[in-house]
Amino acid sequence: MKKTVLFGTLAAAAVVAGAAGAGTLEDVIARGELNCGSNAGLAGFSAPDANGVYQGFDVAMCRAVAAAVLGDPMKVKVVPLSSETRFTALSAGEVDMLSRTSTWTYSRDTDLKLDFVGVNYYDGQGFMVKKSLGVSSAKELDGATVCIQTGTTTELNLADYFKANGMTYEPVPLKDNAEAEQQYSSGACDVYTTDASGLAATRATFADASEHVLLPEIISKEPLALVVRHGDDQWADIVRWTFNALLTAEELGVTSTNVDEMAAAPGLNPEINRLLGTEGELGAMMGLSKDWAVKAIKAGGNYGELFEANIGASTPIGLSRGLNALWTQGGLQYSPPFR
Amino acid sequence: MADPAYVRDQMLPPQKAPSTEVGTPRWIRENLFSGPLNTFLTVAALYAVYVVVGTIGPWLSRSVWNASTLQECRAIVEATYGAGKTGACFAVINERWQQILFGFYPRDLYWRPTLTLVLMLVALGPVLFTWVPRVFLWFSFAFPAVAFWLLWGGSVWLPITILLGFGVAYVVFRVLTPINGLLGIVAAIVAPILYWLFICGPLEEAIHSLIPLGLHQLYSDDFGGFLLSTVIGVSGIAFSLPIGILLALGRQSDLFIVKTACVAFIEGFRGVPLITLLFVASLLLNYFLPPGTEFDIILRVIIMVTIFSAAYMAEVIRGGLAALPRGQYEAADSLGLDYWQAQRLIVMPQALKISIPGIVGNFIGLFKDTTLVSFISLQDPLQLVSSIRANQEWNGIYWELFMFVGFLFFLFCFSMSRYSMYLEGKLKTDHR
């Protein structure tokens, strides 16, 4: 195959790529597998377990979509993407959707021709310092050495923040989180700054976690969202409403354990009935089966269950819901109605 | 004459040399404390060794091999050696070593890469050591096809029909050369290409539908860890040497077009960082190829790595060619050898011998460069290390995984380096 493929490709390379094939939904169904771009390794969000199966909060989103479309949460090929290659891979059609802690920004949405269809985690940039430094606010960090990952939005946010507050700092540029952890814990810098979820995960790994504190300031908005390509609105709807189904399920008290029972027969709450397909034809409106939401919820649970299982307070990462609580509980997670 | 009392009339038994002039003390004095500067350096070096060993030694000696999380590791160390002590947590290696070696290759199929490795050693035998019977060279020639089939699986007829292309080339060459030498050579190049383009695929499908025989098909996403590094590294090494030789010869050629093409190739690819070529392989090609084209990512990477390495190799070999005295070329001419005979019998054996250190240096560099593929999201050992660290069980572990990966890379590179020294010694014919 090596050679035939090579020559076949050389011949075919002359042909201009041109219009994409059928819709993404048809492609996924024909393939029998969802290609989902995610992180090669980010604690709690995406990481392969001892059997090589990817687990995590971001991967759970992929599994929910696969369950809704294909009926099987395991029919996902998780494609690990680096931060440099993620958007290109999506544009080039290598993956059908991206669930890889990608911040929704103006230029990515417009210039890169992407659609951000649902914010699965509201994050923000924070600071971590050693307790012994005696600092209780980011405003006291004038002149500090700061460990920071290069090529990220956090680098720019940091510069903006210090400039706005008339402070100076000395950056210690680092390649990735692993290196940053090592440099910070060996004392190469006073402060480590990245997304607050990343700081919490990093802090949890220290043997002396109680010696480190997260400062209260959050200096940026980092809405981490699910992403699809421009130009296939049906597919964008599927990803968006699968995510909304997980949110609505939590809001209405539908969990992975009681969903079967609730879906068996129409209940008293009409919105639950519409969501679970016991009333109306919501699934067919976007080309899916009647019980698409049931399968998505059964894949891992509703939004709250997924959060608790992967990054919540009971895990070593121990993130609290905060901004990611439902709107009914003072957070920002809000699904439009299923009607 | 009075006998002079001071004259000795018997031999003294020989005395031992002063203790500072023999054995270890002498060696120490001459090598370690022969002057103020050396004394200072010795003391400083001893102190450095003491600090390193004093830090790492206890940490290593308190290693834990059986635990399921980093927290458990830390608890075991504290329980065994007292609070506040730290120790190495090799339990992560114990749990994940297969992933670092094989990536996500299915666990029940590990025998396939393992068998491939064994066969690779067999195939390398006749190439590396002259005492292995020459018949095994045929196996070495067929090995790439065997390895491809074993690793990726699929129909057994695919590699066989591809190998048949070489047979086609040979037959065409044999039939046409008596008619016209140049025609024979051109036809021997064109015929297999036509065969691979148009006949190979349908032929393979036809035989496969008659006699379906094959292994479970695997895809490149399953490859990872040292399996991936070795596949890319070994293919790159095996293909870049012959291409490099041809490029080096082409660069020295008197034929204008050949020379220009070779110079452009060499300078072009040497002037670009490898990582750029890898990005081209992984991202840019996708934009040019029609949607749905399956062009294996590992194959793309192998092609890029081979091209890159061949450009370097060509310059190393050109150095060897330049070191040969003019008289060697003239001697070949005076014997009436044609160009290829002269290259094969006189020039190349000497030029390659001179370039061995450079060539092997290139090989080692290439093998280590395979870790760059993590930038295009392939699962090389270092990428797997960060994936493993991202698990909640092992988040926070650092040195242990890198030590393991570093150790394995050292094994590969050190054996290559030792082999090059063996080869240099064996081929040493001058009297320096």
Side-chain angles (χ1 to χ4, degrees):
Chain A
M1 185 180 72
K2 272 185 170 180
K3 293 239 161 46
T4 47
V5 169
L6 172 60
F7 293 126
T9 310
L10 290 179
V15 184
V16 182
T24 314
L25 176 63
E26 286 78 30
D27 287 349
V28 171
I29 291 174
R31 204 188 301 129
E33 197 173 48
L34 173 75
N35 291 340
C36 187
S38 195
N39 214 303
L42 179 64
F45 287 88
S46 164
D49 65 11
N51 299 317
V53 179
Y54 278 87
Q55 310 285 359
F57 187 62
D58 273 348
V59 176
M61 300 295 150
C62 306
R63 299 213 184 282
V65 173
V69 173
L70 300 166
D72 183 350
M74 296 316 285
K75 284 190 176 159
V76 176
K77 188 173 97 182
V78 175
V79 181
L81 296 170
S82 62
S83 49
E84 293 91 355
T85 56
R86 53 183 164 177
F87 298 126
T88 330
L90 179 62
S91 304
E94 216 171 288
V95 294
D96 305 312
M97 63 177 281
L98 206 57
S99 174
R100 193 200 172 277
T101 54
S102 301
T103 306
W104 182 359
T105 69
Y106 175 83
S107 60
R108 284 174 180 174
D109 200 342
T110 56
D111 197 28
L112 293 182
K113 306 257 184 295
L114 303 172
D115 273 343
F116 290 75
V117 292
V119 178
N120 67 338
Y121 190 86
Y122 287 95
D123 213 337
Q125 185 175 349
F127 297 97
M128 176 163 65
V129 295
K130 294 195 179 68
K131 228 177 212 169
S132 55
L133 206 61
V135 171
S136 60
S137 157
K139 298 258 165 43
E140 301 167 28
L141 288 175
D142 196 10
T145 50
V146 183
C147 279
I148 184 146
Q149 296 176 47
T150 52
T152 57
T153 49
T154 55
E155 205 177 6
L156 309 171
N157 297 333
L158 181 73
D160 288 354
Y161 181 77
F162 272 71
K163 198 172 168 195
N165 286 288
M167 302 189 295
T168 59
Y169 68 101
E170 199 176 320
V172 180
L174 299 163
K175 188 173 88 55
D176 56 18
N177 189 49
E179 201 184 339
E181 257 177 66
Q182 200 59 30
Q183 292 292 326
Y184 169 75
S185 60
S186 68
C189 47
D190 306 323
V191 190
Y192 177 33
T193 179
T194 187
D195 288 349
S197 64
L199 287 179
T202 302
R203 181 166 168 262
T205 68
F206 291 149
D208 55 346
S210 57
E211 291 302 305
H212 304 267
V213 286
L214 305 187
L215 298 180
E217 282 86 355
I218 297 292
I219 65 166
S220 73
K221 291 184 286 186
E222 308 280 348
L224 308 180
L226 307 175
V227 198
V228 297
R229 277 183 296 278
H230 259 190
D232 189 344
D233 294 341
Q234 185 196 14
W235 180 248
D237 286 344
I238 290 174
V239 178
R240 175 184 299 118
W241 284 96
T242 306
F243 175 65
N244 285 339
L246 300 182
L247 283 180
T248 307
E250 187 187 5
E251 193 179 328
L252 301 175
V254 183
T255 67
S256 56
T257 44
N258 67 14
V259 64
D260 273 334
E261 188 188 328
M262 285 181 156
L268 293 174
N269 187 334
E271 182 152 22
I272 292 183
N273 296 344
R274 285 193 297 271
L275 175 70
L276 301 182
T278 50
E279 190 183 308
E281 287 290 340
L282 293 195
M285 291 179 194
M286 54 182 190
L288 296 182
S289 67
K290 219 176 163 112
D291 58 346
W292 63 282
V294 178
K295 293 178 196 151
I297 295 163
K298 266 166 74 178
N302 62 35
Y303 181 84
E305 287 178 273
L306 294 177
F307 194 101
E308 281 312 313
N310 292 296
I311 50 181
S314 61
T315 66
I317 295 173
L319 295 171
S320 60
R321 286 293 288 270
L323 287 179
N324 294 292
L326 292 179
W327 64 288
T328 49
Q329 287 149 24
L332 292 177
Q333 292 293 1
Y334 181 102
S335 162
F338 274 75
R339 185 172 287 282
Chain B
M1 217 166 176
D3 57 339
Y6 55 87
V7 174
R8 241 186 230 292
D9 56 1
Q10 66 198 53
M11 287 292 284
L12 278 178
Q15 283 199 343
K16 277 189 181 162
S19 62
T20 55
E21 288 296 329
V22 289
T24 320
R26 177 182 174 185
W27 186 91
I28 289 178
R29 189 171 54 78
E30 286 188 352
N31 290 288
L32 299 179
F33 298 100
S34 61
L37 178 65
N38 285 351
T39 308
F40 169 73
L41 289 177
T42 303
V43 172
L46 279 179
Y47 179 70
V49 169
Y50 167 75
V51 169
V52 170
V53 172
T55 320
I56 299 176
W59 181 76
L60 273 182
S61 70
R62 291 192 289 259
S63 58
V64 176
W65 284 89
N66 286 304
S68 53
T69 66
L70 178 60
Q71 285 69 33
E72 196 184 327
C73 259
R74 284 178 178 153
I76 292 176
V77 169
E78 297 220 335
T80 323
Y81 302 101
K85 294 275 196 273
T86 55
C89 183
F90 288 112
V92 63
I93 310 283
N94 196 9
E95 186 187 291
R96 295 295 183 99
W97 64 273
Q98 290 161 316
Q99 232 170 52
I100 296 179
L101 290 188
F102 298 108
F104 302 139
Y105 214 84
R107 205 158 270 207
D108 50 334
L109 297 178
Y110 279 165
W111 63 269
R112 277 161 54 174
T114 315
L115 179 64
T116 313
L117 183 71
V118 172
L119 290 180
M120 184 181 86
L121 297 179
V122 174
L124 281 178
V127 180
L128 298 184
F129 302 104
T130 43
W131 49 263
V132 179
R134 297 290 88 191
V135 275
F136 283 105
L137 269 176
W138 285 106
F139 178 70
S140 309
F141 177 74
F143 173 72
V146 175
F148 168 72
W149 179 62
L150 270 178
L151 289 177
W152 273 270
S155 159
V156 70
W157 303 112
L158 187 63
I160 291 179
T161 45
I162 288 173
L163 275 185
L164 269 180
F166 294 101
V168 169
Y170 181 76
V171 170
V172 170
F173 182 74
R174 267 304 158 96
V175 171
L176 291 182
T177 306
I179 305 170
N180 181 328
L182 186 64
L183 179 71
I185 293 174
V186 172
I189 295 171
V190 174
I193 292 179
L194 289 176
Y195 166 81
W196 283 321
L197 269 183
F198 298 109
I199 307 178
C200 190
L203 179 67
E204 186 266 326
E205 275 167 27
I207 308 182
H208 186 68
S209 57
L210 284 179
I211 319 166
L213 192 62
L215 288 171
H216 176 61
Q217 170 99 45
L218 290 166
Y219 298 94
S220 294
D221 325 311
D222 301 321
F223 285 60
F226 274 92
L227 172 61
L228 180 71
S229 289
T230 321
V231 166
I232 296 175
V234 171
S235 322
I237 286 172
F239 296 128
S240 69
L241 185 60
I243 299 177
I245 292 176
L246 290 180
L247 283 173
L249 289 177
R251 195 173 184 163
Q252 301 226 314
S253 163
D254 298 328
L255 304 170
F256 177 73
I257 294 178
V258 172
K259 185 183 167 111
T260 317
C262 289
V263 170
F265 184 96
I266 293 170
E267 297 302 337
F269 283 107
R270 269 204 325 167
V272 179
L274 177 58
I275 188 79
T276 318
L277 294 178
L278 292 178
F279 273 123
V280 168
S282 91
L283 298 177
L284 218 50
L285 278 178
N286 274 1
Y287 282 117
F288 296 137
L289 299 179
T293 315
E294 287 284 324
F295 189 10
D296 193 279
I297 179 75
I298 294 185
L299 178 60
R300 286 188 254 168
V301 168
I302 288 177
I303 292 173
M304 286 302 181
V305 167
T306 306
I307 287 176
F308 182 78
S309 170
Y312 273 88
M313 195 63 69
E315 288 300 279
V316 170
I317 292 167
R318 192 167 69 94
L321 288 173
L324 271 196
R326 180 103 206 106
Q328 297 292 329
Y329 293 90
E330 287 164 359
D333 288 344
S334 68
L335 284 173
L337 301 180
D338 70 16
Y339 179 77
W340 292 109
Q341 284 172 326
Q343 295 299 341
R344 190 161 55 87
L345 299 172
I346 294 187
V347 176
M348 268 305 146
Q350 299 185 69
L352 288 180
K353 190 181 84 178
I354 297 171
S355 339
I356 287 174
I359 293 176
V360 175
N362 242 350
F363 285 170
I364 292 177
L366 172 102
F367 190 71
K368 290 189 292 189
D369 278 351
T370 57
T371 52
L372 284 179
V373 299
S374 63
F375 284 100
I376 53 168
S377 309
L378 286 180
Q379 303 285 328
D380 86 298
L382 292 182
Q383 178 74 51
L384 276 169
V385 163
S386 37
S387 296
I388 293 171
R389 297 177 73 261
N391 274 273
Q392 292 175 11
E393 296 85 39
W394 302 116
N395 196 344
I397 217 157
Y398 196 78
W399 298 110
E400 294 85 345
L401 287 164
F402 283 117
M403 280 165 69
F404 182 66
V405 172
F407 173 72
L408 287 181
F409 266 110
F410 177 78
L411 273 190
F412 277 98
C413 297
F414 186 66
S415 29
M416 278 195 258
S417 148
R418 294 314 290 189
Y419 174 73
S420 109
M421 289 174 77
Y422 155 83
L423 200 61
E424 276 175 66
K426 195 169 79 108
L427 298 179
K428 195 169 174 183
T429 46
D430 54 0
H431 307 282
R432 252 177 280 176

